[in-house]
Amino acid sequence: MNVINNIRQLRSWSTINKGTRCVFVPTMGALHEGHAALIRAAREIAGPAGNVAVSIFVNPLQFGPNEDFSKYPRTLIEDLGLCRDNGADMIFAPKAEDLYPADRSIVMHETSLSKMLCGASRPGHFDGVCMVVAKLFNLVQCDDAVFGKKDFQQLAIIRRMVRDLDFNVVLHGIETVRESDGLAMSSRNRYLTPEERAQAPAIRAALLAARDAWKAGESNPAALQQLITRQLEAKAPLGRIDYVTVADAVNLQPISAGTEHVVIAAAVFFGAARLIDNIELK
Ligand code: PAF
């Protein structure tokens, strides 16, 4: 496994590997079983002859001024072991000053999908995600890229960016990996106190209850949102709901009778941790 930490070395790796299918997994490190599943999925897509590239970079542009950039867990040594064990061929772990020149003057700005869900309470977050993913796509020169569906909005926005900017990259959304009690795996779960950890699976349980109601014929978004809110208030009193939204799974706008794909997404604060999850209804 090659570990590369500067752009010059990455460019020579790309030149040497030109013509070999490259499947890319962008991450911010603090890797867990959810990332391992993404790397294994990438390995499968790449096949034995292809390359799996993983980036490890805590992107300052996607953190707001009061968010956890400085305390975001950095566990490079353990991360490299997990990448190796799950079949990665190349790790790109650049420094922020290499990716972002001090006098950079070009910005990315998403104007629609990022206004909803997480974007409503994290202004600028998805602009930062788009910027780093666009740069990484350019640098890694991948054919495919793999993203987790837990960050449903992120995947929808990257799909939009790939379409709007004509990136020649095929995107793959991978199912969320969960703890045995249903909690979606996240690098931020480590911020939870034992009491918060015990209540956090209520997010998944409430989403499943809403899906059951949907299957039983409840299609009113307000009623589904209320069902989830009530259940969370009862089962997770330590949680503070940021949002519960029923949305069109492609453009994240409110649903109408003709909406083809529907998702319910939720974000709940438990102390310092903001946990997100979602469920696709159709
Ligand atoms: O999902 C993440 O870990 C990050 O948002 C990403 C896509 C690696 C960009 O920094």
Side-chain angles (χ1 to χ4, degrees), residues 61-270:
L61 261 52
Q62 67 188 76
F63 288 80
N66 299 318
E67 293 185 351
D68 55 346
F69 174 67
S70 56
K71 83 179 194 14
Y72 196 83
R74 283 145 172 101
T75 55
L76 186 62
I77 303 296
E78 293 88 337
D79 291 350
L80 295 179
L82 181 142
C83 290
R84 184 178 293 108
D85 292 349
N86 288 281
D89 298 295
M90 189 278 281
I91 310 303
F92 179 49
K95 294 192 184 63
E97 54 270 32
D98 289 342
L99 278 199
Y100 296 126
D103 62 347
R104 69 189 182 87
S105 54
I106 305 293
V107 296
M108 299 277 278
H109 184 44
E110 201 287 328
T111 59
S112 173
L113 286 73
S114 59
K115 304 298 161 209
M116 338 295 287
L117 312 177
C118 294
S121 56
R122 301 188 74 188
H125 167 71
F126 290 107
D127 292 346
V129 170
C130 285
M131 178 62 115
V132 80
V133 173
K135 284 171 74 78
L136 291 167
F137 281 179
N138 284 335
L139 287 164
V140 175
Q141 294 283 301
C142 55
D143 301 286
D144 303 75
V146 168
F147 290 86
K149 284 194 187 178
K150 179 172 76 72
D151 294 290
F152 198 88
Q153 183 172 20
Q154 170 169 280
L155 178 56
I157 291 174
I158 302 290
R159 280 197 197 289
R160 180 61 68 92
M161 181 187 83
V162 162
R163 187 200 75 178
D164 287 1
L165 299 185
D166 305 302
F167 279 101
N168 194 12
V169 176
V170 177
L171 298 179
H172 304 263
I174 305 299
E175 290 308 323
T176 302
V177 179
R178 300 180 180 281
E179 304 287 355
S180 55
D181 58 10
L183 177 64
M185 287 197 183
S186 163
S187 306
R188 290 185 166 106
N189 289 351
R190 66 187 79 194
Y191 299 154
L192 298 171
T193 64
E195 296 74 23
E196 290 163 349
R197 174 65 188 80
Q199 293 184 14
I203 305 173
R204 169 70 170 167
L207 290 169
L208 286 171
R211 189 179 62 183
D212 288 347
W214 169 273
K215 282 186 182 158
E218 180 57 84
S219 60
N220 179 347
L224 294 167
Q225 282 159 225
Q226 197 177 63
L227 184 158
I228 293 173
T229 305
R230 288 222 174 108
Q231 192 156 324
L232 281 171
E233 282 167 357
K235 302 267 173 55
L238 293 174
R240 182 169 59 81
I241 298 173
D242 181 16
Y243 67 80
V244 175
T245 305
V246 180
D248 182 312
V250 177
N251 61 21
L252 307 182
Q253 303 303 308
I255 61 168
S256 60
T259 306
E260 269 184 56
H261 300 286
V262 177
V263 65
I264 307 185
V268 182
F269 284 99
F270 283 90

Side-chain angles (χ1 to χ4, degrees), residues 54-67:
V54 178
S55 64
I56 297 178
F57 178 65
V58 185
N59 174 33
L61 261 52
Q62 67 188 76
F63 288 80
N66 299 318
E67 293 185 351

